[in-house]
PDB file of all heavy atoms in Angstrom:
ATOM      1  N   MET A   1      86.871 115.606  91.578  1.00  0.00           N
ATOM      2  CA  MET A   1      87.591 114.991  90.383  1.00  0.00           C
ATOM      3  C   MET A   1      87.872 113.664  90.743  1.00  0.00           C
ATOM      4  O   MET A   1      88.808 113.406  91.551  1.00  0.00           O
ATOM      5  CB  MET A   1      88.659 115.871  90.039  1.00  0.00           C
ATOM      6  CG  MET A   1      89.573 115.315  88.850  1.00  0.00           C
ATOM      7  SD  MET A   1      90.748 116.563  88.317  1.00  0.00           S
ATOM      8  CE  MET A   1      91.776 116.716  89.789  1.00  0.00           C
ATOM      9  N   ILE A   2      87.317 112.573  89.882  1.00  0.00           N
ATOM     10  CA  ILE A   2      87.863 111.255  90.100  1.00  0.00           C
ATOM     11  C   ILE A   2      88.832 110.938  89.012  1.00  0.00           C
ATOM     12  O   ILE A   2      88.445 110.870  87.867  1.00  0.00           O
ATOM     13  CB  ILE A   2      86.590 110.246  90.030  1.00  0.00           C
ATOM     14  CG1 ILE A   2      85.562 110.736  91.195  1.00  0.00           C
ATOM     15  CG2 ILE A   2      87.084 108.833  90.196  1.00  0.00           C
ATOM     16  CD1 ILE A   2      84.386 109.853  91.109  1.00  0.00           C
ATOM     17  N   LEU A   3      90.013 110.750  89.426  1.00  0.00           N
ATOM     18  CA  LEU A   3      91.087 110.616  88.439  1.00  0.00           C
ATOM     19  C   LEU A   3      90.877 109.436  87.551  1.00  0.00           C
ATOM     20  O   LEU A   3      91.077 109.570  86.362  1.00  0.00           O
ATOM     21  CB  LEU A   3      92.478 110.385  89.127  1.00  0.00           C
ATOM     22  CG  LEU A   3      92.868 111.733  90.015  1.00  0.00           C
ATOM     23  CD1 LEU A   3      94.142 111.320  90.716  1.00  0.00           C
ATOM     24  CD2 LEU A   3      93.212 112.902  89.060  1.00  0.00           C
ATOM     25  N   HIS A   4      90.493 108.326  88.025  1.00  0.00           N
ATOM     26  CA  HIS A   4      90.527 107.129  87.201  1.00  0.00           C
ATOM     27  C   HIS A   4      89.345 107.106  86.361  1.00  0.00           C
ATOM     28  O   HIS A   4      89.174 106.120  85.521  1.00  0.00           O
ATOM     29  CB  HIS A   4      90.593 105.884  88.113  1.00  0.00           C
ATOM     30  CG  HIS A   4      89.324 105.407  88.803  1.00  0.00           C
ATOM     31  ND1 HIS A   4      89.039 105.818  90.094  1.00  0.00           N
ATOM     32  CD2 HIS A   4      88.249 104.658  88.461  1.00  0.00           C
ATOM     33  CE1 HIS A   4      87.853 105.382  90.444  1.00  0.00           C
ATOM     34  NE2 HIS A   4      87.390 104.581  89.495  1.00  0.00           N
ATOM     35  N   GLU A   5      88.370 108.083  86.428  1.00  0.00           N
ATOM     36  CA  GLU A   5      87.311 108.103  85.519  1.00  0.00           C
ATOM     37  C   GLU A   5      87.512 109.247  84.386  1.00  0.00           C
ATOM     38  O   GLU A   5      86.786 109.353  83.511  1.00  0.00           O
ATOM     39  CB  GLU A   5      86.004 108.444  86.295  1.00  0.00           C
ATOM     40  CG  GLU A   5      85.543 107.202  87.191  1.00  0.00           C
ATOM     41  CD  GLU A   5      84.277 107.502  87.854  1.00  0.00           C
ATOM     42  OE1 GLU A   5      83.726 108.529  87.800  1.00  0.00           O
ATOM     43  OE2 GLU A   5      83.804 106.512  88.583  1.00  0.00           O
ATOM     44  N   MET A   6      88.682 109.926  84.514  1.00  0.00           N
ATOM     45  CA  MET A   6      88.971 110.931  83.582  1.00  0.00           C
ATOM     46  C   MET A   6      89.305 110.267  82.174  1.00  0.00           C
ATOM     47  O   MET A   6      89.736 109.198  82.138  1.00  0.00           O
ATOM     48  CB  MET A   6      90.129 111.830  83.998  1.00  0.00           C
ATOM     49  CG  MET A   6      89.855 112.582  85.194  1.00  0.00           C
ATOM     50  SD  MET A   6      91.278 113.457  85.851  1.00  0.00           S
ATOM     51  CE  MET A   6      91.462 114.707  84.786  1.00  0.00           C
ATOM     52  N   THR A   7      89.151 111.090  81.056  1.00  0.00           N
ATOM     53  CA  THR A   7      89.651 110.582  79.834  1.00  0.00           C
ATOM     54  C   THR A   7      91.124 110.597  79.821  1.00  0.00           C
ATOM     55  O   THR A   7      91.664 111.257  80.703  1.00  0.00           O
ATOM     56  CB  THR A   7      89.125 111.548  78.675  1.00  0.00           C
ATOM     57  OG1 THR A   7      89.723 112.881  78.850  1.00  0.00           O
ATOM     58  CG2 THR A   7      87.669 111.726  78.568  1.00  0.00           C
ATOM     59  N   ALA A  10      92.710 114.039  79.279  1.00  0.00           N
ATOM     60  CA  ALA A  10      92.441 114.973  80.434  1.00  0.00           C
ATOM     61  C   ALA A  10      93.379 114.541  81.729  1.00  0.00           C
ATOM     62  O   ALA A  10      93.822 115.492  82.377  1.00  0.00           O
ATOM     63  CB  ALA A  10      91.002 114.927  80.852  1.00  0.00           C
ATOM     64  N   PHE A  11      93.521 113.301  81.858  1.00  0.00           N
ATOM     65  CA  PHE A  11      94.407 112.805  83.011  1.00  0.00           C
ATOM     66  C   PHE A  11      95.878 113.218  82.738  1.00  0.00           C
ATOM     67  O   PHE A  11      96.572 113.760  83.643  1.00  0.00           O
ATOM     68  CB  PHE A  11      94.330 111.316  83.105  1.00  0.00           C
ATOM     69  CG  PHE A  11      95.115 110.703  84.155  1.00  0.00           C
ATOM     70  CD1 PHE A  11      94.642 110.747  85.513  1.00  0.00           C
ATOM     71  CD2 PHE A  11      96.414 110.258  83.911  1.00  0.00           C
ATOM     72  CE1 PHE A  11      95.429 110.181  86.531  1.00  0.00           C
ATOM     73  CE2 PHE A  11      97.200 109.686  84.915  1.00  0.00           C
ATOM     74  CZ  PHE A  11      96.702 109.724  86.227  1.00  0.00           C
ATOM     75  N   GLU A  14      96.194 116.787  83.514  1.00  0.00           N
ATOM     76  CA  GLU A  14      96.276 117.076  84.840  1.00  0.00           C
ATOM     77  C   GLU A  14      97.629 116.660  85.449  1.00  0.00           C
ATOM     78  O   GLU A  14      98.200 117.361  86.243  1.00  0.00           O
ATOM     79  CB  GLU A  14      95.144 116.308  85.536  1.00  0.00           C
ATOM     80  CG  GLU A  14      95.128 116.385  87.093  1.00  0.00           C
ATOM     81  CD  GLU A  14      94.805 117.873  87.574  1.00  0.00           C
ATOM     82  OE1 GLU A  14      94.290 118.592  86.793  1.00  0.00           O
ATOM     83  OE2 GLU A  14      95.265 118.115  88.718  1.00  0.00           O
ATOM     84  N   PRO A  22      97.981 114.325  90.952  1.00  0.00           N
ATOM     85  CA  PRO A  22      98.551 112.967  91.057  1.00  0.00           C
ATOM     86  C   PRO A  22     100.017 113.029  90.731  1.00  0.00           C
ATOM     87  O   PRO A  22     100.494 113.745  89.840  1.00  0.00           O
ATOM     88  CB  PRO A  22      97.753 112.230  90.042  1.00  0.00           C
ATOM     89  CG  PRO A  22      97.342 113.137  89.005  1.00  0.00           C
ATOM     90  CD  PRO A  22      97.082 114.344  89.781  1.00  0.00           C
ATOM     91  N   LEU A  74      93.036 100.778  89.788  1.00  0.00           N
ATOM     92  CA  LEU A  74      92.436 101.916  89.372  1.00  0.00           C
ATOM     93  C   LEU A  74      92.014 102.762  90.467  1.00  0.00           C
ATOM     94  O   LEU A  74      92.148 104.063  90.427  1.00  0.00           O
ATOM     95  CB  LEU A  74      91.250 101.572  88.389  1.00  0.00           C
ATOM     96  CG  LEU A  74      91.624 101.238  86.905  1.00  0.00           C
ATOM     97  CD1 LEU A  74      90.360 100.773  86.129  1.00  0.00           C
ATOM     98  CD2 LEU A  74      92.404 102.328  86.087  1.00  0.00           C
ATOM     99  N   LYS A  75      91.440 102.258  91.454  1.00  0.00           N
ATOM    100  CA  LYS A  75      90.872 102.980  92.543  1.00  0.00           C
ATOM    101  C   LYS A  75      92.064 103.621  93.438  1.00  0.00           C
ATOM    102  O   LYS A  75      91.925 104.625  93.913  1.00  0.00           O
ATOM    103  CB  LYS A  75      89.978 102.118  93.506  1.00  0.00           C
ATOM    104  CG  LYS A  75      88.749 101.727  92.797  1.00  0.00           C
ATOM    105  CD  LYS A  75      87.925 100.900  93.654  1.00  0.00           C
ATOM    106  CE  LYS A  75      86.547 100.433  93.018  1.00  0.00           C
ATOM    107  NZ  LYS A  75      85.701  99.436  93.756  1.00  0.00           N
ATOM    108  N   ILE A  77      94.661 104.723  92.206  1.00  0.00           N
ATOM    109  CA  ILE A  77      95.224 106.046  91.635  1.00  0.00           C
ATOM    110  C   ILE A  77      94.596 107.201  92.446  1.00  0.00           C
ATOM    111  O   ILE A  77      95.404 108.105  92.873  1.00  0.00           O
ATOM    112  CB  ILE A  77      94.670 106.161  90.167  1.00  0.00           C
ATOM    113  CG1 ILE A  77      95.303 105.036  89.266  1.00  0.00           C
ATOM    114  CG2 ILE A  77      94.964 107.496  89.573  1.00  0.00           C
ATOM    115  CD1 ILE A  77      94.730 104.932  87.835  1.00  0.00           C
ATOM    116  N   ASP A  78      93.338 107.079  92.739  1.00  0.00           N
ATOM    117  CA  ASP A  78      92.761 108.203  93.593  1.00  0.00           C
ATOM    118  C   ASP A  78      93.169 108.182  95.028  1.00  0.00           C
ATOM    119  O   ASP A  78      93.399 109.142  95.652  1.00  0.00           O
ATOM    120  CB  ASP A  78      91.241 108.136  93.401  1.00  0.00           C
ATOM    121  CG  ASP A  78      90.794 108.559  92.028  1.00  0.00           C
ATOM    122  OD1 ASP A  78      90.711 109.769  91.870  1.00  0.00           O
ATOM    123  OD2 ASP A  78      90.505 107.665  91.055  1.00  0.00           O
ATOM    124  N   GLU A  79      93.259 106.904  95.509  1.00  0.00           N
ATOM    125  CA  GLU A  79      93.644 106.791  96.981  1.00  0.00           C
ATOM    126  C   GLU A  79      94.934 107.359  97.251  1.00  0.00           C
ATOM    127  O   GLU A  79      95.218 108.005  98.319  1.00  0.00           O
ATOM    128  CB  GLU A  79      93.402 105.347  97.406  1.00  0.00           C
ATOM    129  CG  GLU A  79      92.023 104.790  97.476  1.00  0.00           C
ATOM    130  CD  GLU A  79      91.883 103.384  97.941  1.00  0.00           C
ATOM    131  OE1 GLU A  79      92.692 102.970  98.784  1.00  0.00           O
ATOM    132  OE2 GLU A  79      90.962 102.744  97.562  1.00  0.00           O
ATOM    133  N   THR A  81      96.522 109.817  95.639  1.00  0.00           N
ATOM    134  CA  THR A  81      96.387 111.339  95.587  1.00  0.00           C
ATOM    135  C   THR A  81      95.684 111.839  96.774  1.00  0.00           C
ATOM    136  O   THR A  81      96.129 112.766  97.470  1.00  0.00           O
ATOM    137  CB  THR A  81      95.755 111.804  94.348  1.00  0.00           C
ATOM    138  OG1 THR A  81      96.536 111.409  93.225  1.00  0.00           O
ATOM    139  CG2 THR A  81      95.442 113.267  94.337  1.00  0.00           C
TER     140      THR A  81
END
Side-chain angles (χ1 to χ4, degrees):
M1 178 171 60
I2 301 175
L3 295 171
H4 77 271
E5 293 183 352
M6 296 172 72
T7 65
F11 180 82
E14 178 64 23
L74 281 174
K75 292 177 181 175
I77 294 172
D78 287 278
E79 289 183 28
T81 293

